[in-house]
């Protein structure tokens, strides 16, 4: 059983990992404790080619003191990549106890690091706050298990469920605080995706605009169906932008042509796989209603964040999903994870309940 100090250290390691954006590598945090349970080292993994969290937590040139234990959110790697195996660093430092949060779902890693340490006489405890570790980096775990990107559907609606007026206007349904929260969300994902309709109506930049922010910017992605994208969109000036379509397009940014689905639209499952192959694991979908409906129909919505504005439309404009709801039996249950007041608005975090579909 982990000690109270080790449980506290695991929570600290999770917080350290959550600050980093290392995809396609996993978010990992590590904390080194002395025999009294005091923190004597800690670190997170900053990205591909950078030292792993375990090496950042261990002393660089000296062995650990007797009785020290290493608490790490994810199973230490035991293979050579851009950096040497973490198991080698742990053994070289003389660590005799390792507390692991989650086993690595990557087939190239899973179980091997734990076995290497145990075969060398290291006491290894596993499964400590594993659910919290996976919840901190769900995109990595999904990608390693299913080979595709993880999609978060972000929507902002009036209290009566409208995302825009009939004339297409939608700025601004929510208040300043909720919009700042969206920018914080963007800072934590690999990419932000919209459909061509949103590009045409809003001309978004899909970037992070927070005071003092200097971190990585998400990759802007546009899914283009049968409607023509605007020629003068601001996104075309961003060399990182990606466009997915089922037809030929001549644009100034990279265009990835994918097979059409049965309705002739770009096949979203193929897009999800291509993104995974490119190491773009965590994607936030911000619009519009047609793209949201297509993702929902393809069962590709892994997480939802809905902002309910303190606003009533009082009529029908643009609903959250551009599809017909024919009968109650088509509805699906979702699990509401949290409800948070943000300024005058509400943020609801939810995820689909894939164990049952009927509401």
């Amino acid at each position: 059983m982990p000690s109270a100090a080790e449980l506290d250290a695991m929570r600290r390691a999770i917080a350290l990992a959550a600050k980093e954006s290392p995809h396609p590598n996993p978010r990992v945090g590590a904390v080194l404790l002395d025999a009294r349970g005091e923190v004597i080292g800690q670190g997170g993994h900053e990205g591909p080619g950078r030292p792993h969290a375990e090496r950042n937590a261990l002393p660089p040139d000296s062995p650990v003191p007797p009785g020290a234990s290493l608490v790490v959110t994810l199973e230490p790697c035991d293979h050579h990549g851009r950096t040497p195996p973490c198991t080698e660093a742990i053994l070289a430092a003389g660590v005799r106890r390792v507390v692991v949060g989650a086993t690595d779902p990557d087939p190239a890693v899973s179980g091997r690091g734990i076995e290497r340490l145990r075969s060398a006489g290291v006491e290894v405890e596993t499964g400590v706050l594993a659910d919290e570790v996976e919840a901190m980096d769900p995109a990595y775990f999904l990608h390693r298990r299913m080979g595709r990107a993880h999609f978060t559907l972000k929507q902002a609606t009036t209290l009566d469920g409208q995302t825009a007026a009939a004339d297409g206007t939608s700025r601004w349904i929510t208040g300043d605080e909720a919009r700042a929260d969206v920018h914080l969300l963007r800072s934590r994902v690999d990419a932000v995706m919209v459909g061509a309709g949103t590009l045409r109506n809003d001309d978004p930049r899909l970037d992070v605009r927070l005071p003092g922010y200097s971190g990585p910017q998400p990759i802007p992605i546009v899914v283009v169906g049968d409607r023509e994208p605007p020629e003068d969109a601001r996104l075309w000036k961003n060399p990182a932008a990606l466009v997915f379509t089922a037809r030929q397009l001549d644009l100034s940014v990279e265009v990835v042509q994918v097979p059409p689905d049965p309705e002739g639209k770009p096949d979203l499952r193929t897009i999800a796989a291509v993104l995974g192959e490119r190491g773009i694991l965590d994607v936030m979908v911000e619009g519009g209603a047609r793209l949201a409906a297509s993702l929902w129909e393809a069962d590709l919505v892994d997480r939802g964040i809905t902002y309910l504005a303190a606003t009533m439309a009082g009529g029908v404009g643009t609903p959250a999903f551009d599809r017909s709801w024919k009968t109650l039996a088509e509805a699906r249950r979702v699990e509401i994870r949290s409800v948070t007041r943000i300024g005058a608005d509400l943020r609801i975090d939810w995820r689909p309940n894939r164990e049952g579909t009927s509401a």
Side-chain angles (χ1 to χ4, degrees):
M1 291 289 292
S3 66
E6 288 170 341
L7 287 172
D8 287 343
M10 184 63 74
R11 295 186 182 96
R12 179 191 286 255
I14 291 172
L16 287 168
K19 294 179 181 179
E20 306 296 345
S21 300
H23 290 162
N25 287 7
R27 291 187 172 113
V28 184
V31 174
L32 184 66
L33 302 177
D34 65 15
R36 299 174 301 171
E38 300 292 330
V39 176
I40 55 175
Q42 63 180 29
H45 176 46
E46 298 175 0
R50 306 292 298 275
H52 288 190
E54 296 92 326
R55 291 181 178 271
N56 286 332
L58 293 169
D61 300 313
S62 60
V64 300
S69 60
L70 181 67
V71 178
V72 59
T73 57
L74 194 69
E75 172 185 4
C77 66
D78 189 45
H79 64 281
H80 283 270
R82 296 187 185 181
T83 58
C86 290
T87 51
E88 291 183 0
I90 292 169
L91 295 175
V95 176
R96 305 311 299 165
R97 175 172 167 79
V98 176
V99 178
V100 175
T103 302
D104 196 325
D106 190 328
V109 180
S110 187
R112 298 182 184 182
I114 293 169
E115 178 59 30
R116 170 73 185 283
L117 294 174
R118 284 176 172 164
S119 65
V122 176
E123 179 186 1
V124 181
E125 182 152 358
T126 62
V128 178
L129 303 183
D131 289 345
E132 294 180 33
V133 170
E134 183 163 349
M136 175 266 298
D137 194 9
Y140 174 79
F141 283 83
L142 179 76
H143 175 259
R144 292 308 194 269
R145 289 169 180 155
M146 301 183 68
R148 68 165 177 87
H150 174 281
F151 292 100
T152 297
L153 179 62
K154 190 279 295 182
Q155 295 176 307
T157 76
T158 61
L159 283 179
D160 46 350
Q162 304 303 301
T163 62
D167 64 359
T169 55
S170 62
R171 295 185 179 182
W172 296 101
I173 288 178
T174 55
D176 292 342
E177 295 89 343
R179 295 199 296 273
D181 192 60
V182 171
H183 282 270
L184 185 61
L185 287 172
R186 288 179 181 177
S187 74
R188 303 298 298 138
V189 299
D190 302 329
V192 178
M193 177 185 285
V194 298
T198 298
L199 191 69
R200 184 168 45 253
N201 293 334
D202 297 343
D203 193 21
R205 290 188 285 178
L206 306 182
D207 58 355
V208 180
R209 299 187 300 279
L210 292 171
Y213 180 77
S214 60
Q217 290 288 348
I219 297 169
I221 298 174
V222 183
V223 179
V224 177
D226 54 0
R227 294 185 289 183
E228 291 298 322
E231 296 181 358
D232 57 350
R234 289 186 292 184
L235 278 187
W236 304 154
K237 298 178 182 179
N238 187 336
L242 280 175
V243 172
F244 286 94
T245 182
R247 55 195 176 92
Q248 290 188 339
L249 285 176
D250 184 15
L251 297 170
S252 59
V253 298
E254 183 179 2
V255 177
V256 181
Q257 192 169 349
V258 297
D261 66 12
E263 297 181 4
K265 298 179 292 187
D267 185 75
L268 290 172
R269 291 196 170 276
T270 301
I271 292 174
V274 171
L275 290 171
E277 291 169 0
R278 290 178 173 231
I280 303 171
L281 311 188
D282 203 351
V283 180
M284 185 163 71
V285 181
E286 293 201 24
R290 292 181 73 184
L291 180 57
S294 296
L295 278 169
W296 188 252
E297 289 171 351
D299 195 25
L300 287 173
V301 176
D302 303 298
R303 176 192 182 201
I305 299 175
T306 302
Y307 294 90
L308 286 182
T311 305
M312 291 291 290
V316 178
T318 301
F321 295 91
D322 184 9
R323 68 188 294 267
S324 174
W325 182 25
K326 298 176 183 178
T327 177
L328 182 63
E330 289 184 347
R332 305 179 204 169
R333 286 286 184 187
V334 302
E335 178 188 353
I336 295 178
R337 309 300 300 277
S338 64
V339 179
T340 309
R341 182 78 174 261
I342 301 182
D345 308 316
L346 292 179
R347 169 178 159 172
I348 302 174
D349 287 63
W350 55 273
R351 67 181 180 186
N353 180 2
R354 289 192 166 101
E355 295 177 0
T357 59
S358 174

